[in-house]
Amino acid sequence: MTPPVLDRRHFLLAGAAGALVAVGPAQAHNGVVHVAIEDLVFVPAEIEVKVGETIEWTNNDRIAHTATVRNGWEVMIPPGKKATKVAETGDNVDYYCRLHPNMKGRIVVTS
Ligand SMILES: [Cu+2]
């Protein structure tokens, strides 16, 4: 007979495997790719977007963040707010938060 403790561990492992499947580039739904900002982290860190689709950041923190490309564009995302940008050709970039440079994200633009 299997001890209940083992059953619980199997359940937790299954849950972790499910979470792993969900990781990886997020893709657009209705032309919008969502990126949440939670506790100074872009979630997911990497997104895939087609030219013309919209990237929407939702800042769930109580402090402002930016999505900034070095020598490129910047989107300010106030606390508790959303901000958007339409993906353009050449937006295949790494970005970061200018206010918290440890926050990093990546946008992969596909055609
Ligand atoms: Cu920030």
Side-chain angles (χ1 to χ4, degrees):
M1 173 176 158
T2 309
V5 169
L6 267 186
D7 284 342
R8 176 160 174 74
R9 183 162 31 166
H10 287 154
F11 173 77
L12 290 174
L13 282 174
L20 280 179
V21 170
V23 170
Q27 298 188 338
H29 295 279
N30 299 322
V32 180
V33 180
H34 297 272
V35 180
I37 302 174
E38 297 180 2
D39 297 329
L40 289 89
V41 177
F42 293 111
V43 183
E46 180 171 329
I47 57 171
E48 260 181 37
V49 62
K50 291 187 173 70
V51 172
E53 289 180 336
T54 298
I55 304 161
E56 181 180 272
W57 290 270
T58 300
N59 184 354
N60 293 319
D61 287 343
R62 296 184 177 197
I63 52 178
H65 295 295
T66 72
T68 301
V69 175
R70 221 170 284 278
N71 300 317
W73 49 262
E74 175 169 288
V75 174
M76 174 64 70
I77 314 149
K81 303 273 199 232
K82 296 173 190 283
T84 61
K85 182 188 189 308
V86 175
E88 299 166 22
T89 306
D91 274 348
N92 204 342
V93 290
D94 292 309
Y95 68 94
Y96 68 107
C97 173
R98 184 165 47 79
L99 307 173
H100 314 98
N102 288 339
M103 295 174 60
K104 291 175 182 163
R106 179 167 176 72
I107 299 168
V108 177
V109 180
T110 60
S111 51

